[in-house]
Amino acid sequence: SSSGSRYTPNGGSRDCRAAVADSIFSACQADDVLITAGGQVALQTVAFALLEATSSFVRGYETPRSHAVVFTPSYQSCQEAPLHAGAAVRKVRLTRANGWDIDLTDLEIACRADTKLILINQPWNPAGTLVSREKLEGIVEIARRHNAWILADEIYRFLEHDAATRLPAIADIYERGVSIGALSKPFGAGGASLGWIACRDAEARQAFKDAMYFGTACPARASELQALMVLRARDVLLERNLGIIRRNLEIVERFLGENSDLFSYVKPTAGCVLWVEFKGPLTSTELGAALAEAGISMKPS
């Protein structure tokens, strides 16, 4: 029952799943969506469901642990979730010289015949950059050749500074695509602690539900009700939050431009973060001490 005094179904109540499908996706329907207790849980759930942690013998044949490809630098969980699930992981390095873009040749080299998962984070945290639609399609083609899943952390989707650059959800365009997201970043509703997994493969969705059963099996109905309200106000919230991002980015870029001898960066095109390189003369420890003295906190990566 979806009554507020009873457990919600494993994977979320239908009204909440339908609201997410209608607001976030184009091809995915309510039955393709699972509700989770935030985006972090969604990421971990998919990794544990799709990846094998250890080698095993079945009828005399060895089944090796799964192989996954991730990108670095990146949001820590996007690099660590497959490792936490016990998979063998190959990291593909992104570089500032390439505008933090994904190099398809590097990705192809990193993939093996048995690669099971490619994990991407677009828009990209921490630089706020976004690959092109053509590049995303190239990633899909590589995954398809390897029969690999693509797990896409789309937490900053809908915060593109130009809506024309918005990428489709991977679950909408790839048969083995898994999209995860949450209310926190685009809608500013982190307190609701509600995220989602979208995938059009029924067998995979069942595996996700099975994995969730031993973690947060049932999302809170109070969170689902908050999600319904947030998604009804979707457009108003997005306009507000994008306005804040644009104003703050203008302030930051003005400061960085006035101090270009000390800082450099790649202009962000999505989300609310950017990667700033400090060129000196202080060491990172000295810079941190100076910022702390000025009342500004600095979090190490």
Side-chain angles (χ1 to χ4, degrees), residues 51-55 65-66 85-87:
L51 299 171
E52 297 290 338
T54 59
S55 299
R65 64 178 179 152
S66 297

Side-chain angles (χ1 to χ4, degrees), residues 134-274:
E134 181 182 14
K135 184 64 63 73
L136 181 64
E137 291 171 351
I139 296 169
V140 169
E141 286 307 308
I142 291 173
R144 188 174 281 128
R145 286 199 298 271
H146 290 271
N147 197 34
W149 294 91
I150 297 178
L151 170 56
D153 176 359
E154 299 166 352
I155 195 76
Y156 287 103
R157 189 165 174 258
F158 295 105
L159 290 181
E160 298 82 7
H161 303 172
D162 177 358
T165 65
R166 182 172 301 146
L167 297 172
I170 201 69
D172 281 332
I173 64 170
Y174 179 41
E175 63 276 8
R176 292 172 72 83
V178 183
S179 294
I180 64 169
L183 296 177
S184 55
K185 301 302 189 297
F187 306 109
S193 295
L194 186 136
W196 51 81
I197 303 168
C199 178
R200 289 181 291 150
D201 186 292
E203 186 175 341
R205 288 198 308 275
Q206 186 58 52
F208 303 153
K209 291 176 72 172
D210 292 344
M212 289 168 60
Y213 187 77
F214 294 99
T216 50
C218 304
R221 183 57 181 166
S223 294
E224 290 188 329
L225 293 174
Q226 285 180 296
L228 294 175
M229 291 185 283
V230 167
L231 293 174
R232 285 170 187 159
R234 169 186 183 279
D235 294 340
V236 173
L237 292 173
L238 287 175
E239 182 179 2
R240 171 189 177 274
N241 294 339
L242 281 166
I244 294 172
I245 289 171
R246 292 187 180 106
R247 286 195 301 273
N248 289 344
L249 180 59
E250 182 179 348
I251 294 170
V252 170
E253 288 195 299
R254 185 165 59 247
F255 169 81
L256 294 175
E258 293 170 351
N259 297 276
S260 59
D261 57 324
L262 298 175
F263 302 100
S264 64
Y265 69 105
V266 173
K267 185 177 180 65
T269 57
C272 54
V273 294
L274 80 160

Side-chain angles (χ1 to χ4, degrees), residues 11 17 20 25 28-47 49 151-152 171 177-182 194-200 204-205 207-209 211-212:
R17 292 187 287 110
V20 169
F25 300 99
C28 291
Q29 304 298 314
D31 288 343
D32 301 320
V33 175
L34 302 176
I35 302 301
T36 64
Q40 193 81 271
V41 172
L43 192 62
Q44 178 180 328
T45 295
V46 175
L151 170 56
V178 183
S179 294
I180 64 169
L194 186 136
W196 51 81
I197 303 168
C199 178
R200 289 181 291 150
R205 288 198 308 275
F208 303 153
K209 291 176 72 172
M212 289 168 60

Side-chain angles (χ1 to χ4, degrees), residues 59-139:
R59 296 179 181 176
Y61 294 96
E62 183 178 12
T63 301
R65 64 178 179 152
S66 297
H67 181 255
V69 176
V70 302
F71 295 89
T72 186
S74 183
Y75 179 57
Q76 185 177 11
S77 295
C78 289
Q79 298 184 63
E80 300 296 329
L83 285 170
H84 190 209
V89 174
R90 174 73 178 272
K91 293 186 177 183
V92 176
R93 178 160 293 279
L94 305 179
T95 66
R96 187 194 160 177
N98 194 33
W100 304 119
D101 200 5
I102 292 175
D103 188 305
L104 294 181
T105 300
D106 288 345
L107 176 58
E108 185 70 77
I109 292 171
C111 289
R112 306 188 322 204
D114 62 342
T115 295
K116 193 168 186 180
L117 177 72
I118 299 170
L119 201 161
I120 63 175
N121 167 219
Q122 293 290 324
W124 184 57
N125 178 2
T129 53
L130 188 64
V131 300
S132 66
R133 174 66 185 265
E134 181 182 14
K135 184 64 63 73
L136 181 64
E137 291 171 351
I139 296 169

